[in-house]
Each structure stands twice: as structure tokens, then as C-alpha cells.
Amino acid sequence: MSDRKEASTTTRPGLSRTRPGLSRRGFLKGALAGAGAISFGSYEAVAQMVGGPSVRGWGVPPGLVRIDSNENALGPSPRAVEAVLSLVTSINRYGQNPDLLGKLARRHGVPVVEWTDSPFAPVPGAWVAVGAGSSDLLFAIGHAYVREGTEVVESLPGFGFITRFAGVANAEPVRVPLLEGMKPDLDGLSAAVTDRTAMVVVTTPGNPTGQLTPMSQLRPFVESIPERVLVLVDEAYIEFAENEDDREGAASLIADHPNVIVTRTFSKVFGMAGMRVGYAVARPEVIERIGRHRANTLTLLSTHAASAALDDTDHLRRSQELVSRGKRYFYEQLDAMGIEYAPSESSFVMMNMKSDVDELVRRMREEHNVLVGNARARWNIEGWIRVTAGLPEENEAFIAALKKVLVSS
């Protein structure tokens, strides 16, 4: 389903440090050529040095800085790669890793039901469903719960998968604008629930906002929603939360709230976007209901890679640390440049260019081989871009290219 144009939502994180009356171009030129700073000519040489073929990101051609899709710049776990390589001569056979379902159940503290090695064997009583990316499961959730004439409540701007599905299903999408600082309006979401509401969606951390909904706020919100309404908590990025306790997520709510379903993915912190593995945690009756709307989309390779990735806690930690360091670098550079941004609990940062971002994104791509997310084109947020924290050299290449584009604008 293609993205539909959404109404603009104005948000002001309030972090701009640009001096009044000074243009960004003038600010940057002064910062680059002023006392104690390198000259503009010297800066040009530095910018050339950190960009170009010297940047080698995982999974992309040399010289391409692809920080627009929230992929893990560290790449997949070596254990996941080893698992795939060990099975490449077996892809003539059906199969799945029999340990994956149980590992995920233990990870989230729900009752354990094990798979067999056959993808065709039924799994009665499971609290976990695994699919080809979380989108596979979101699609099944939409089919299972959204009907013509019902309503789906979600923040605006937001990921919007279920909202788009509602449009296709002739249901009514109800979008609730964000609060100041790009934070979700939980009271507004709750107040938007009517007798026709089939589902309420909370994405935490938000995409594209990066704002976390802590459990201290999420629990009373869930309690405010009628039990007949499904509460979908999308946690694709929650492993990047700065506070380790926040990474536990909403699965603990499921025991007392049978209308809660939590989705996660292996595409982000586990670095397996190309393998397409995601999962949902919910009560068995919910898992069974969405299972009626799913095909057998898993593969021998993807399930073994996912199971191996779960065992590699060192890779998980390094991925989290890489993102955390990258965001801190962005904050420092953006503060020095006087550019407003929204501090993020995710793997990306929203940045306010206060300019024509279509042109900026085009120039970054065509002149510097740097790909960033255009928030105006994707979410109708004027003047903003979304940038994934990459490898240090990718982050440096982005900042160098951004300075050059802004100075010459």
C-alpha cells in the first residue's frame, strides 16, 4: 500500500540555538571561517576527505552514505551470518529453527510454546507469532480486526501502517496530532475512541519522531481503553531506548490486558532488514485470530538467522552503543550549527532545516552521495529531515555534506 498524503502537523521541539537575526548561511560561514575555526577553504578539503569512496558502510557500495532507512550500520550479527552460510546448501528443503519461538517467549516473559522443525505443524496455545518482518504481522492484524465502518486511532504524524490499511478496508482512520516536542497525545488518543473503534495504535519510540512512551504513561493509557478495542504497541525501535529498563517494553501488560498486542522486528537493532523477520506477542486467542490471515512466509534461513542473532548479546550491545554515540555526535554538531532537532530514543534523529528540504535532500544525494529521509515528502512535516545514526565515518560525511549544502544555499 502506498503512502497517502497526510495533514501537516507543526511541532516545535524548542532546541534551536541559532542567534536571532542571523541567517543559517551566515551562521555557518562565520563558524567555519571565524577565529579558532578552520578556514572555509580548509573545510572544503576536509569535507572531500570524509566523503566519497573512503566511506564504506556495511551492505552498500563504497562511497554511498545511506542513512535514510533506519538500517543497522553495524550489519548483522556474525552468528546470524554463520547460521545462514551453514544452511545455504539446504534451501531445497522446507524448515525452520525449532528454538526461535521459545526464545522469543522467554525474552518477553510469556508462557513458552515450542515450534517443531516443520513450518507446517500447528502451534496451539502460542503467545508469540513470527512473520516476514513486523509488516507481515501488521497486515494480518489489520485483516483480523479492521472491518468496513470501524475506526482506527493513531498519532499524526506516525508510522501509519494500520491507518493506511484502514483506508483500503473502507474503515475510518482517526489521526490525533502530536503534542509539543513531537510527543504522542495519549489523552487525545483515548478520547478519540468511540463505539466504532476497532484498534488504537501506539508506536514507541515513535516513527518518525523518536519519542518514547514510558510504561508509567502507557499502562494507565491501556487501562483507559475498553477491552473490546485492540491496543497495538509497535516497538520496532525500543531496543535503542537510552534507559535499559525502557527496553523491556509493553509485553508485561498482556497478562492483565488481553486486548494488548506488541510487535517487534529483527530489521533494526539486529541488523537483519534484508531477512524479513518480525514477531508479535499477545494472548493465544489473539495470536490464533491473526494467524487465520497469514500465509507461511518464514524461511529456513531467516528463522535460523534470527535465532542465532538472539544469542549474540555482544552484537546487540554494540549496535545500541553505536547508535547512542552517533546521536550524541549529531547533537553536538547540530548545537554548534544552530540547527533545531528532537532528541531521540530511537536509531534516528529528526532535524529542522527550516528550508526547502526537497532541494536539500536532492543536493545531498546528487552532489555528495548521502541519502537522508525527507520528512516533508513522507510525513508532510515541512522543513524537517530524518537521519539514521550510522558508522562514525558515515555520520561525519553527512555533517560535512550538510554544511556544504547549507553554506552554498
Side-chain angles (χ1 to χ4, degrees):
M1 290 178 289
S2 61
D3 288 351
R4 298 182 303 165
K5 188 172 182 179
E6 299 171 335
S8 175
T9 299
T10 301
T11 53
R12 301 182 181 275
L15 293 174
S16 178
R17 291 177 171 82
T18 306
R19 288 174 287 178
L22 182 63
S23 70
R24 178 166 293 115
R25 182 176 182 179
F27 177 86
L28 287 170
K29 283 186 174 178
L32 292 171
I38 61 176
S39 69
F40 186 69
S42 299
Y43 172 74
E44 289 284 341
V46 172
Q48 291 296 328
M49 181 180 65
V50 298
S54 62
V55 179
R56 299 185 63 91
W58 286 99
V60 293
L64 176 63
V65 179
R66 193 165 89 180
I67 49 176
D68 63 335
S69 300
N70 303 338
E71 296 151 327
N72 187 336
L74 195 62
S77 160
R79 296 191 189 186
V81 174
E82 183 180 5
V84 171
L85 292 176
S86 70
L87 291 165
V88 291
T89 59
S90 301
I91 59 173
N92 61 314
R93 303 294 181 181
Y94 296 111
Q96 63 185 11
N97 185 287
D99 300 325
L100 179 58
L101 199 69
K103 286 182 180 180
L104 292 171
R106 294 182 189 93
R107 180 179 179 85
H108 293 283
V110 298
V112 175
V113 176
E114 300 281 6
W115 269 344
T116 68
D117 61 0
S118 169
F120 306 111
V123 190
W127 290 62
V128 178
V130 186
S134 57
S135 296
D136 178 35
L137 294 162
L138 293 174
F139 194 75
I141 293 166
H143 272 287
Y145 285 89
V146 180
R147 297 286 183 270
E148 183 175 355
T150 62
E151 297 174 345
V152 173
V153 178
E154 189 171 3
S155 294
L156 177 73
F159 183 49
F161 187 102
I162 296 294
T163 296
R164 294 190 294 275
F165 181 91
V168 174
N170 294 318
E172 182 69 24
V174 179
R175 306 304 296 269
V176 177
L178 298 172
L179 298 172
E180 191 82 5
M182 294 190 173
K183 297 187 180 298
D185 183 359
L186 297 181
D187 291 338
L189 291 170
S190 181
V193 173
T194 70
D195 291 341
R196 297 172 56 199
T197 305
M199 191 186 314
V200 179
V201 182
V202 177
T203 303
T204 176
N207 182 17
T209 66
Q211 302 305 300
L212 181 79
T213 302
M215 285 296 293
S216 60
Q217 298 175 17
L218 187 59
R219 187 182 299 276
F221 169 76
V222 168
E223 292 171 350
S224 76
I225 304 300
E227 194 169 300
R228 61 176 177 79
V229 176
L230 187 72
V231 180
L232 168 61
V233 185
D234 185 343
E235 296 181 341
Y237 298 94
I238 202 162
E239 283 98 349
F240 294 109
E242 296 294 337
N243 187 330
E244 188 171 350
D245 290 341
D246 289 328
R247 300 171 191 164
E248 295 298 318
S252 61
L253 299 175
I254 294 170
D256 295 329
H257 301 281
N259 59 327
V260 171
I261 184 168
V262 177
T263 56
R264 291 199 182 188
T265 181
F266 281 78
S267 297
K268 306 305 177 184
V269 77
F270 293 105
M272 290 173 46
M275 291 300 290
R276 311 305 299 131
V277 184
Y279 64 97
V281 185
R283 297 284 283 267
E285 59 270 23
V286 176
I287 296 295
E288 181 181 355
R289 181 170 174 176
I290 66 174
R292 301 188 200 115
H293 300 272
R294 295 183 56 227
N296 181 15
T297 55
L298 295 172
T299 72
L300 177 73
L301 300 183
S302 64
T303 56
H304 278 269
S307 181
L310 288 173
D311 293 335
D312 195 346
T313 56
D314 181 62
H315 178 267
L316 176 67
R317 175 187 55 79
R318 289 190 295 117
S319 296
Q320 292 164 334
E321 291 176 351
L322 179 77
V323 164
S324 184
R325 288 194 302 269
K327 290 188 296 186
R328 288 197 301 270
Y329 171 76
F330 285 157
Y331 300 158
E332 292 167 1
Q333 295 295 314
L334 295 170
D335 282 340
M337 296 165 67
I339 293 177
E340 181 182 18
Y341 59 88
S344 170
E345 295 276 350
S346 191
S347 62
F348 52 82
V349 178
M350 285 283 284
M351 307 174 186
N352 190 0
M353 299 295 103
K354 297 181 179 178
S355 63
D356 179 358
V357 290
D358 292 345
E359 177 67 8
L360 182 143
V361 169
R362 182 194 66 78
R363 291 189 59 194
M364 295 281 284
R365 179 183 68 250
E366 294 180 1
E367 298 175 15
H368 304 284
N369 220 19
V370 175
L371 307 183
V372 297
N374 184 337
R376 189 212 61 77
R378 298 184 65 176
W379 301 282
N380 212 22
I381 308 176
E382 294 290 343
W384 291 73
I385 59 174
R386 188 194 67 183
V387 183
T388 310
L391 297 173
E393 56 266 35
E394 292 176 313
N395 300 335
E396 292 167 9
F398 159 69
I399 291 294
L402 180 63
K403 288 177 178 178
K404 292 180 71 175
V405 169
L406 291 177
V407 166
S408 62
S409 298

